[in-house]
Every structure is written in C-alpha cells, then in structure tokens.
Amino acid sequence: MKKNIYIVLAILIFPLLTIAQSTVTGIIKNTDGTLAGVTITEKGSSNTVQSDENGRFSISLRSTQVLVFSSVGYASQERSAKPGEQLEIFLQSNNQDINEVVVVGFGTTKKLTNTGAVSSIKGADIRQIPTSSVQNALTGRLPGFVSVQRSGQPGRDASDFYIRGVSSLNPDGNQPLIIVDDIEYTYEQLSQINVNEIESISILKDASTTAVFGIKGANGVLVVKTHRGESGKPKINARFESGLQSPVTKLEFLDAYESALLWNEAINNTANDNTYQPFSEQALAHFRDGDDPYTYPDINWYERIFKPASLQYNTNVDITGGGERIKYFISGGAFSQDGNLYDFQNEANKVNNNYYYRRYNLRSNLDIQATKSLKLRLDVRANFNRINSPRAGNIVGEVFDFSKIRPWSAPFLNPNGSYSYASDTQELLPTINARLGTSGYHLDRRNDINILFGGTQELESIAKGLSLSGRVAYASVESNGREQGRDQIPVYRYFPDTDSYILKGGAPYVMDNYTLRAYQGDYNNRVNAQLSLNYSRSFNDHTINSLLLYNRESYNSRGDKRSNWIPQNFEGFTFRTGYDYKQKYLLDLTLAYNGSDRFQSDQRYGFFPAISVGYNLAQEQFFQNRFDFFDLFKFRGSYGIVGSDKVAGDRYLFQQVYNEGGPYSFGVSHQASGTIYEGNLGNSNVTWEKQSSFDIGLDLSVFNNKLGLTVDYFNNIRYDQLVTSQSLPLHIGVGVSPTNIARVRNRGVELELNYNDNIGQFSYNIKGVFSYFKNKILFQDEPSPAFPWLRSTGHQIGQPMGYLFDGFYSEENIASSPIPAGGYQVQPGDLRYKDLNEDGVIDDYDRTTIGRPNIPNSSFGLTLGGSYKGFSANVLFQGTTGYSFSVQGSGIEPFKSQFLPIHQERWTPETAATAKFPRLTTNPTTVNSPSSYMSDFWLIDATYLRLKTVELGYQFPDRWLPLTISNARLYVSGYNLLTWTNYSLYQQDPEVTSNTAGDAYQNQRVVNLGIQIGF
C-alpha cells in the first residue's frame, strides 16, 4: 500500500518538477522603469505570455529555448534562455514600429494606415536631455522640424522653431500651432512643460493632418500628449539631476597693451581725427609690464564678470496607478537654473543680482469610469515661473561695448575697496561690477493654471462604434514684475600720485536704500469648448473612422489695450473620415469650416478641405510571395487648403483707425486739448492667409521593422498673404491696412531612416533625419526697381541685401576702382565693392541679394544608440546649413566693440596678401562698417555641426535593488557639447540673430548627472 502511494506521488510531482526546471522568469524594463504588456514568445511556436503590471513574466520552455520580446513602439529583441534562468531584458524604443499609434489632431492613427505626413517621438527619448525647454530637446530628431536657439539666458533659452520652414511674409504668420491634449498652447507655455509629463510628441506637416484646424493649420501643428494613469498598484518614479553649465563659445578680448597698439594705429589711419588721442610710449610700456595697475589698469571684464560655469538642478516625482474605476497620473517637479555672473553682493547688499530661472510644475490627470459606458477625465496643470536678471542691464552687451567700458577705463576696485567708474567714456558709467553689486535685480513672475474636464459616452445602443465626447478647458496666465534697485551709487576715481579719491560728480556720498517697484504684467485667459461625435467600426476587411467636431475658443488679454477686454473668438466645425480596405487601400477626407472674429462678419468663415490616399503594396499577395521581407511598402499623397489668421498690425484690420495725438492749443491763452488723427484706412475685404498644400510620401519597413524609411516631397503655395502695398504713392497722405495680395511658394524634401537590431544581448539603433525646404516670393506688390538685382521678388523670405565684396583697395587699384558716394576718400585697406551698374560710384543701386536668410533651409540629425545588459548609450549629432548671419556695431566694429583677436588680422601694407579684416579707423561710417555698408564680407555662411546630446546610463540589476525599489538607473548626459563651424570672423554661436551686436546671453553647454528611482 505504501509503495503504491509513493508511485502515485511520483506521477503527480514529476510533471511539476519538469515544468519548474523548464520555466524561465524575468523582468522587462526600459529607460523609465518596468514595462507591462510586453509579449514574450518562444521562437517558432505559439507559446506566448505577457509581462504583468510590474514588468515580470514567467514562461515554460518547450523546444527552441529562444525567446522573442516584442511590444508596440519598441524594437523586438531575441534572447537565448536556459531552463530555470532569470532574465533581465531592456527594450529600446522604436519610432518606426508600423503598429505604433500616433497622436494627430483630435484623435490617433496607426503608422500602418496613416496617409498623412506625420513625425513623432516618445517622451522617454528626450527625457534625459538637460535643457529646460521641450523644443530644444527636439532639435535634430524629427524631419521637418527646424529650430534656432537665439539665447541661453536662464528662463529665456527656448528655441524658435518652424515646421517645414517659413512661408509667410508676416513673421508671426510662421509660428506653428501648438496643441497639448487637444488644447491650444503658446510658445511660452510649451517651453514651461516638464518633459516628464510627456508621453509623445507629433508634428503634423501636410494638409490632410492640419486641415482639421482649418484657419490655424497653415504653419504645421505640434501635438503633445501627456501621460495618463494605468491600472495597477501605485508606481512612484523619482528623478534627481544636477548639471554644470558653461558657455558654448568662450569670448576672447585683447588686453590693454594689444588694444592700445591697435588704438594708436586706428588714430594714425584716420585723417583729421582729433577726437581720440594716441597712447604715449610710456603708457604702452606700463600696459605691457602691468607695473602701475591703478593708473594704467588692464581688466578683462568678461573674465572678471562671468564665471566659467554655473549649476542647474532638476527634480521630478511621478505617481501612476489606479483600478477599474479610477486611474491617475500625478507629477510634480522643480527646475532651477543659475546664471553665469560672479556674486558681487556684500553684507550691506543682500539681493540676488544674478540671472536665474526657477520653475515649479504640478500636473494631475484623472480618468474615471463613471458608468459602464461613460468615461470622465479631469486634468489640472499648474506652472509657477520666476526669471531673475540684473537691473544693471544686458551684461553681455556691456562687456562687448567699447563706448561704455575699456580694458584701461578703471580698476576693478580701488585700493580702499571702493568702486570706480569709466572716466574715459562719455557716459561715465560706474564699472560693471559696481552696478552688479549695488543696482539690484528685476524679477519676472508668471503663474499658469490649466483645467480640463471632459467625458466620452459610448452610444453602442444606437450604433456599434459610436461615441460622443465633450470637454471644456480653461487656461489662465498672470504675470507681474518686481524690481529692487538704486539709481545712483557712490563711485570714485583714484589718483595714485597723490593717493587721493575724487567722487564722481552727481553721485551720492552715501549708498541709498533700495527702492522697491512692482509692475503689472499680462493677464489673459482662454476658454475652449469641444463637442465631437466619433465613429470607429470594422466590417470584415473594411475599417471606418469618422469624426464630427464642434470647436469654440475665446481668448481675453489685459495686455491688448485697444480691445479693452473684448475677447478674441474662434469657432469651427470639422468632419473627418478615414477608410481602409485590408490595410491596403487607404483614404482620408477632411472638411473644416471655421472662422475668426479678426475679420468682418461676411469674411469670417472659410472652408478648408483636404484629401489623402494611400496604397500599401506590401499587403498585395503577389508582392508578399516575392518580397516577404517587406512589412510596409506604402505610397501616399495628400492635397488640401489650410489657413492662417495671424495678422500684422491692428487686430481688426477692417476697421478705420483713429489715434490719439499730442495736445493742441485753443483760444488766446494756452488751453491744451487732446487731439485725434486719422490712422490707417480700414480694409473691409481683409481675410485670412491661405495655403494650398501638396505632399507625396513613401513609407518602407523591412525585416520585421528593423529597417524603416520615410521620404516626403511637398510643394506649398501660400497665397492671399497680408502685406502692406508698396506701390501706393506716399502723397495720398494716409496709411493703409495690409491687403491679401502676396504669394510665396515653399517646397522641399524630408527623409527619415531608422535601423535597429540586436547581437545577442547588445541592442543598437541608428536614426538619421534630413530636411530641406526653400521658399520663393512669387508676388508682394513691389514697385519696379531701377535695376533687376534690386528686386526682392523671386528670392527667399528674409533674403539679405548688401554689397558684393571685391577685395581690398590698394595703391595700384584705387584710381581705377569705383568710389563710394558722398565724397568719402577711400584708402588702401578699405573694403572694395562691385559696381553693379558700372557708373563708377558705389551707392544704393549697387546693392543686391547676398548670402541666405537667418533661418536654416536644411537641417539634419544622426542618432546612434546602443544597450548591453544594463548599460546604454545615445549620441546625437545635429547640424544645419543654408543660412547666414552677420554681426554689427559693438559685436565687431572697432571703437564700437572691444578689440578682438580678429582685429589683429587687419589689413596693413605688410599683411595685404593675408588680411582677414579691413584697415582700422576711428570713423564709424566708412565702407568698412557693416552698419553703414552691409556686404557679403560680413554676412557669412553659418553652417554648423554639433555634438548635440550624449547620454550614458546604467540600469542597476533587479537583484541589487533593496527594499521596495523596482528600478534604479544612473546616467550622465550632455547638451551642446561640441560645435564645429567654418568661419573665423566672429566669435559667435552660429545660431545668433543676424544684424545684431551678437550680445545675447550665450548658449550653454550642459553636463548633467542624474539618478532615476522607481518604487
């Protein structure tokens, strides 16, 4: 009997032992933590399981002992496994997955069946980039997206960005529409979003994807989707970062001795100049030897004012979870960015005079299953921003400006510790450190609140796949300023010979108390209401997705004084339907009818249709039989009309404008009365700008989504553009409003190439993007110029005009060369220009188009990524070409700017063959001045290549993690690490704004250390 019992037990236990021995367990992670819902399949079989809410899985091996891990949006990975082994798998995102769902306007679509031009990226792919602004993190990662970062000032370093370049002659008319969770945002609001809140970002580029926005869709649309809750136990994800910032370009200025030598040379080169006196040999000797620092100071103001590095910090905590009824995503973060100024405050001046940025974010996204068929959502977002700057003004500009401070103007501090002033300049300003230490600060404060409430009611009882959705969103912005400062401070000039001090005239003997001032900034609010009927249904091989939407928005702003709190209203209706047959034949149709109260009542509404078609050749049986390695081979094309209601000038261009004038006196005695004068004539026919958009594209994916290619060609015509007529004669005596008359063509190509694979446990990915776009002004009502080369029509928007450099004047060619108008006597070493009309005189008739506009027409990016076990690395090289910049005034011109190394390469009789700069002169209006004579000598090619971002990370093995920690990752990241350019004339970042002094706060290089912990 006992023997029989043992036999029965053995029969029962043996299979269990066999299963246990063949079972493989493990956990699956990405850079953000554990991954739920990943499919684990034993290769070549139907043996499949999925990872649970904590990313864990267990599978019993049957034959091959090779597991395939796959999830939508991630690169599949194969891994050998042994019975009883515990695996830790790291999946990398794959934006080329054809089954991935992409967010578009008021809905989603699959890459497999999408017929429009859409590019997207996951929030996880840009989360570790150490920059405060979302748009900065997108640079070089999406085809069709081009950005230019004009400043690195904390809190004001967000890039200007464009989708497929520019098409409008109105500067504001090129800004893309920004939609966050179906609600419109401004540029500033986008830059303030904490990237940890973002699930995905899409850019919509053609009419089939932007026509749903009708009158606002012409400039492309950037769509952001934030994270939402997931069912399961609460997951806490914390991120802590600390970064070191330093300028991308280190400025170099000549010392007092080298500057004095060039000063003397410039004076000798300038005939009849008694304004400046040359330095004596004795003074030059003191500058060279540095033996008398108070009589002959030598101060590098840049190095003494700006620190080589400063700090930034970023902290964020997310909580995700929920059950069947309620799901939640809650996120809170704090970002702190310091400025690069040294601290000059003392015990008597305890104020923060440095640049800095402080941002505090809070977001709560709730999803509530109110009934079996009713889903509700409540989103609340709050942003609190503080931007501080010194009241002393633009400090970078001060350092550049030769008229305000010079190396020898004053000692940094007098021997007794008192402040000095620039006694050899016209303004006699206190030294920069004196004003920074005592003049106080200016603080801008801004608070943003966004609330969205919505719901979706399924209407299955009426029709399967039918639902009704509605939402109301409220957004408000309140800003104000606070200033604490002094207008006058005591400063002294020290005389070493007598060891005495003289107070600057008009300055107080005693430091005054700070004066506190407050300023009311902007206050605005935006209310948006949407109601939509949605239908999604599949009938065997047929799938239909439709949307009928009503959208209304009202915007109020206290900053708009003329409107006197009259709201700006937008209203529209949109119908969109999509059809596909076997995911092979694809059709999308969009019809939008919407309008804006910017225009007269009978001109407010417009019709914006768009159609797109697609054909997936890879779904054809004959193609699959021959080329079974193709997952996707899709041709697509679209055409439609979209609009832009961005107007230049007055908000209501159809109204006659009357302006308040100065006082007028009536009667025998003076009795001042206010006056009103006629402004621009109203244009009753004014309406929005329109754009016809044509796009054709090809989407390829092969070898199980390992290799993907997307190519697009587009051709857009922006017509009815609002410009002020240039052909009306001035003697009509009154201004006119813009008229819908201009036309611009913008066309280009885009390419995105992805490859991802794995070799054993090493996974890698390569992604390249390229964009090229070029616009052309077809008509802008330009009067016929005297010569064809003076015409702007036919060239690009923002095309610079100037002279063509034709070498330097020399003793040999002066007599036979054209001379500048106005009687200026040229000398050897001056810049010589081409005489285009061959009249022997250089004047305005010799100006022509030079260089390129200051917005790139080509951009490219190359991303290289890889991971091995817990180690990961990602590198992005990014660059642009096809644009130019120039610097003027205090940025480059002698006696306006400090003396720079490039000035040492000026023309002299000895360096005539190798000179890179014209001869030096104290005259600011010669042909050598870019302010007076802009030419292609000063306007240079701004092509650059950057090592934009680098990220190195290590994900700690699960077995190392103590307590309830489920995920831990340590990483080092960098931003703007290296820059290669092809110019030496300027020591400027290539993204500088053209035709300026180039004195914006310098763009920053950041090296960042972070740790991410999940519970």
Side-chain angles (χ1 to χ4, degrees):
M1 182 66 181
K2 186 183 290 186
K3 183 177 180 180
N4 292 336
I5 292 175
Y6 288 151
I7 292 173
V8 172
L9 290 173
I11 292 173
L12 294 174
I13 295 174
F14 180 75
L16 297 177
L17 293 174
T18 303
I19 292 172
Q21 290 175 355
S22 64
T23 299
V24 175
T25 60
I27 188 170
I28 304 174
K29 299 180 178 180
N30 66 355
T31 55
D32 279 344
T34 57
L35 274 176
V38 176
T39 300
I40 302 98
T41 305
E42 188 173 6
K43 191 174 182 179
S45 74
S46 59
N47 183 20
T48 298
V49 298
Q50 283 194 329
S51 60
D52 64 16
E53 62 186 37
N54 296 314
R56 298 189 178 277
F57 69 93
S58 177
I59 186 171
S60 298
L61 297 178
R62 296 176 182 174
S63 56
T64 62
Q65 296 189 340
V66 176
L67 298 179
V68 179
F69 300 86
S70 60
S71 180
V72 173
Y74 292 89
S76 298
Q77 188 177 142
E78 292 186 7
R79 180 78 174 273
S80 298
K82 298 178 182 179
E85 187 176 6
Q86 289 187 336
L87 300 178
E88 194 161 7
I89 305 298
F90 302 94
L91 293 186
Q92 287 192 320
S93 63
N94 175 22
N95 287 312
Q96 195 57 34
D97 190 341
I98 61 175
N99 292 307
E100 184 182 1
V101 174
V102 178
V103 178
V104 293
F106 308 109
T108 59
T109 183
K110 277 189 176 182
K111 287 189 175 181
L112 178 63
T113 55
N114 172 52
T115 59
V118 181
S119 297
S120 65
I121 191 170
K122 296 183 181 68
D125 293 336
I126 58 175
R127 200 152 292 152
Q128 280 82 28
I129 299 175
T131 178
S132 64
S133 301
V134 173
Q135 51 263 58
N136 295 353
L138 297 178
T139 303
R141 297 178 182 273
L142 296 170
F145 182 93
V146 60
S147 64
V148 194
Q149 188 177 353
R150 303 299 194 185
S151 170
Q153 180 181 340
R156 294 192 170 95
D157 61 353
S159 299
D160 296 333
F161 67 93
Y162 308 90
I163 295 176
R164 290 186 165 176
V166 298
S167 300
S168 177
L169 292 164
N170 295 310
D172 291 342
N174 292 300
Q175 293 183 353
L177 180 66
I178 300 167
I179 300 293
V180 179
D181 291 337
D182 290 340
I183 303 302
E184 183 175 347
Y185 271 41
T186 64
Y187 264 46
E188 282 187 298
Q189 287 175 311
L190 176 67
S191 68
Q192 295 161 6
I193 292 181
N194 188 335
V195 71
N196 292 278
E197 303 172 8
I198 296 175
E199 180 178 309
S200 67
I201 297 175
S202 303
I203 58 171
L204 316 181
K205 300 178 285 188
D206 68 334
S208 70
T209 55
T210 65
V212 291
F213 303 100
I215 204 170
K216 297 184 176 184
N219 303 314
V221 184
L222 185 142
V223 181
V224 178
K225 182 180 184 295
T226 61
H227 280 292
R228 308 210 68 80
E230 299 174 354
S231 296
K233 296 179 181 179
K235 292 183 181 180
I236 302 175
N237 190 48
R239 188 186 302 272
F240 308 95
E241 298 178 352
S242 178
L244 198 65
Q245 307 173 96
S246 59
V248 170
T249 304
K250 185 180 184 300
L251 302 179
E252 296 183 19
F253 299 101
L254 300 185
D255 61 21
Y257 175 68
E258 297 294 342
S259 297
L261 289 176
L262 298 183
W263 166 286
N264 284 354
E265 181 179 318
I267 293 173
N268 291 332
N269 286 344
T270 309
N272 303 319
D273 181 17
N274 298 319
T275 305
Y276 302 99
Q277 297 300 314
F279 288 103
S280 66
E281 290 297 327
Q282 179 185 11
L284 291 174
H286 286 303
F287 284 138
R288 183 185 62 240
D289 300 335
D291 55 1
D292 192 354
Y294 291 104
T295 306
Y296 300 98
D298 183 4
I299 307 298
N300 186 322
W301 293 103
Y302 175 73
E303 292 184 353
R304 299 295 295 272
I305 298 298
F306 287 92
K307 297 184 293 187
S310 59
L311 295 174
Q312 72 175 37
Y313 305 94
N314 189 22
T315 303
N316 193 84
V317 178
D318 301 335
I319 305 175
T320 306
E324 294 183 0
R325 287 301 182 97
I326 299 178
K327 300 175 185 177
Y328 55 85
F329 170 78
I330 301 173
S331 178
F335 182 87
S336 174
Q337 190 177 28
D338 292 335
N340 284 347
L341 300 179
Y342 280 110
D343 184 5
F344 299 108
Q345 61 185 347
N346 53 44
E347 290 299 322
N349 298 285
K350 278 294 183 181
V351 298
N352 191 338
N353 56 21
N354 210 329
Y355 296 95
Y356 70 73
Y357 177 46
R358 307 285 186 263
R359 182 183 70 200
Y360 307 95
N361 301 87
L362 177 65
R363 176 178 285 275
S364 171
N365 289 349
L366 297 180
D367 294 290
I368 304 168
Q369 190 73 48
T371 68
K372 186 177 180 180
S373 61
L374 175 62
K375 295 179 182 179
L376 301 177
R377 63 180 288 186
L378 176 63
D379 301 349
V380 179
R381 168 185 175 265
N383 271 64
F384 307 98
N385 296 273
R386 306 292 182 263
I387 301 177
N388 199 73
S389 57
R391 188 171 174 269
N394 179 5
I395 305 304
V396 181
E398 294 263 346
V399 168
F400 266 111
D401 198 335
F402 192 73
S403 69
K404 293 184 177 181
I405 197 74
R406 298 157 188 172
W408 53 73
S409 290
F412 198 74
L413 289 173
N414 290 320
N416 65 354
S418 63
Y419 292 119
S420 186
Y421 64 98
S423 58
D424 63 336
T425 64
Q426 186 174 356
E427 293 186 55
L428 302 177
L429 290 174
T431 56
I432 301 174
N433 59 311
R435 283 178 286 129
L436 284 175
T438 61
S439 293
Y441 65 87
H442 183 89
L443 177 65
D444 290 318
R445 298 181 289 194
R446 175 182 168 124
N447 302 325
D448 289 53
I449 304 293
N450 290 43
I451 301 174
L452 184 151
F453 178 74
T456 299
Q457 174 66 57
E458 294 180 359
L459 302 175
E460 296 284 335
S461 59
I462 300 176
K464 188 176 180 180
L466 186 66
S467 64
L468 179 68
S469 296
R471 65 186 59 181
V472 176
Y474 172 81
S476 70
V477 175
E478 183 178 7
S479 64
N480 56 67
R482 172 190 173 99
E483 186 177 275
Q484 191 166 343
R486 297 186 180 96
D487 295 325
Q488 294 289 335
I489 59 174
V491 287
Y492 301 85
R493 184 176 180 184
Y494 173 63
F495 293 89
D497 295 342
T498 59
D499 191 27
S500 60
Y501 298 83
I502 294 181
L503 180 70
K504 175 193 169 186
Y509 283 94
V510 179
M511 195 82 71
D512 293 333
N513 292 326
Y514 282 112
T515 299
L516 180 63
R517 303 180 181 93
Y519 306 93
Q520 177 63 50
D522 188 24
Y523 174 77
N524 64 65
N525 59 63
R526 187 187 303 269
V527 179
N528 179 273
Q530 298 175 16
L531 184 66
S532 63
L533 192 64
N534 305 276
Y535 181 71
S536 180
R537 182 81 183 274
S538 293
F539 306 88
N540 298 322
D541 295 329
H542 307 271
T543 300
I544 296 176
N545 292 282
S546 297
L547 166 75
L548 180 61
L549 169 75
Y550 171 74
N551 186 11
R552 181 178 176 87
E553 182 171 283
S554 182
Y555 174 78
N556 285 289
S557 175
R558 181 180 295 169
D560 189 354
K561 295 180 180 180
R562 188 182 298 278
S563 69
N564 197 23
W565 276 91
I566 299 174
Q568 302 178 31
N569 295 313
F570 164 86
E571 185 179 53
F573 299 87
T574 300
F575 172 73
R576 179 176 64 198
T577 187
Y579 167 79
D580 80 71
Y581 174 71
K582 290 185 176 181
Q583 298 180 338
K584 178 169 52 176
Y585 303 110
L586 313 169
L587 172 68
D588 285 283
L589 175 67
T590 303
L591 304 172
Y593 179 76
N594 51 40
S596 167
D597 68 357
R598 290 174 177 266
F599 311 110
Q600 197 156 286
S601 57
D602 59 347
Q603 300 282 349
R604 285 179 181 169
Y605 287 87
F607 182 59
F608 304 94
I611 187 172
S612 59
V613 295
Y615 172 51
N616 187 1
L617 183 61
Q619 293 293 326
E620 294 284 6
Q621 191 62 47
F622 73 87
F623 191 85
Q624 293 177 357
N625 294 338
R626 292 172 175 79
F627 308 101
D628 59 353
F629 54 88
F630 274 94
D631 309 299
L632 179 68
F633 197 126
K634 181 176 62 180
F635 301 97
R636 52 182 168 77
S638 67
Y639 179 80
I641 305 295
V642 284
S644 172
D645 66 346
K646 299 285 188 180
V647 299
D650 191 71
R651 174 175 156 188
Y652 300 118
L653 296 179
F654 60 86
Q655 291 184 338
Q656 174 63 54
V657 175
Y658 293 93
N659 301 311
E660 294 183 4
Y664 191 85
S665 182
F666 290 91
V668 178
S669 61
H670 177 64
Q671 296 180 0
S673 299
T675 60
I676 295 176
Y677 66 93
E678 185 179 27
N680 292 341
L681 294 175
N683 177 6
S684 59
N685 296 316
V686 68
T687 184
W688 55 87
E689 297 183 355
K690 305 174 186 67
Q691 178 170 291
S692 63
S693 297
F694 170 75
D695 183 283
I696 55 173
L698 172 66
D699 299 327
L700 297 179
S701 183
V702 296
F703 308 126
N704 294 321
N705 293 329
K706 289 183 179 179
L707 176 64
L709 172 68
T710 299
V711 181
D712 275 273
Y713 166 80
F714 67 90
N715 189 346
N716 301 333
I717 302 293
R718 183 75 66 91
Y719 60 99
D720 282 353
Q721 288 198 44
L722 284 164
V723 297
T724 302
S725 175
Q726 302 176 47
S727 60
L728 290 175
L730 295 178
H731 61 253
I732 64 173
V734 66
V736 295
S737 293
T739 308
N740 298 100
I741 52 176
R743 291 170 59 89
V744 173
R745 182 185 67 208
N746 183 32
R747 57 187 177 183
V749 294
E750 299 165 355
L751 181 145
E752 180 176 359
L753 181 65
N754 287 273
Y755 184 77
N756 63 84
D757 201 356
N758 66 283
I759 303 172
Q761 297 186 52
F762 175 66
S763 299
Y764 62 94
N765 65 280
I766 303 171
K767 177 182 177 180
V769 300
F770 173 77
S771 304
Y772 170 80
F773 22 77
K774 186 175 182 180
N775 62 66
K776 180 179 180 180
I777 301 172
L778 302 179
F779 180 75
Q780 60 176 339
D781 193 28
E782 180 182 23
S784 181
F787 299 98
W789 56 80
L790 298 173
R791 186 183 298 276
S792 296
T793 303
H795 298 284
Q796 298 182 68
I797 297 172
Q799 175 71 57
M801 301 286 290
Y803 299 95
L804 299 177
F805 174 62
D806 194 25
F808 294 99
Y809 284 103
S810 65
E811 293 286 359
E812 294 76 17
N813 65 29
I814 281 183
S816 59
S817 297
I819 59 173
Y824 171 72
Q825 299 295 317
V826 296
Q827 299 182 37
D830 285 336
L831 299 181
R832 186 178 60 169
Y833 304 121
K834 290 185 178 180
D835 181 14
L836 297 184
N837 64 348
E838 298 180 349
D839 64 353
V841 176
I842 300 298
D843 54 21
D844 286 345
Y845 292 125
D846 299 304
R847 298 172 70 249
T848 187
T849 54
I850 56 175
R852 305 276 179 86
N854 195 220
I855 297 174
N857 68 8
S858 301
S859 64
F860 48 89
L862 175 65
T863 303
L864 306 173
S867 64
Y868 177 74
K869 295 186 176 179
F871 295 95
S872 63
N874 284 279
V875 178
L876 169 64
F877 291 94
Q878 173 266 331
T880 60
T881 187
Y883 79 117
S884 305
F885 80 84
S886 64
V887 171
Q888 303 178 2
S890 60
I892 190 67
E893 300 181 46
F895 286 78
K896 293 183 180 180
S897 78
Q898 306 292 343
F899 284 103
L900 309 171
I902 191 64
H903 295 147
Q904 293 182 311
E905 301 187 57
R906 79 284 183 200
W907 187 98
T908 67
E910 295 75 26
T911 64
T914 60
K916 297 180 180 179
F917 199 86
R919 72 181 182 92
L920 301 181
T921 174
T922 65
N923 187 340
T925 61
T926 71
V927 288
N928 302 328
S929 166
S931 300
S932 302
Y933 287 81
M934 175 51 64
S935 72
D936 58 354
F937 178 88
W938 304 106
L939 191 73
I940 61 175
D941 183 359
T943 297
Y944 72 85
L945 173 66
R946 287 197 202 275
L947 178 55
K948 191 68 176 181
T949 61
V950 172
E951 193 229 333
L952 306 174
Y954 180 68
Q955 196 127 14
F956 293 99
D958 200 43
R959 63 183 181 275
W960 290 8
L961 303 179
L963 304 174
T964 59
I965 296 177
S966 62
N967 177 64
R969 185 171 186 268
L970 183 69
Y971 54 92
V972 177
S973 55
Y975 176 74
N976 279 348
L977 294 179
L978 294 171
T979 303
W980 295 273
T981 62
N982 63 348
Y983 57 83
S984 59
L985 179 63
Y986 304 114
Q987 46 180 337
Q988 294 283 344
D989 188 87
E991 297 182 78
V992 65
T993 303
S994 191
N995 295 324
T996 68
D999 56 0
Y1001 194 103
Q1002 293 169 278
N1003 285 347
Q1004 298 293 296
R1005 175 188 298 113
V1006 183
V1007 177
N1008 188 63
L1009 175 66
I1011 185 169
Q1012 175 188 327
I1013 302 174
F1015 300 90

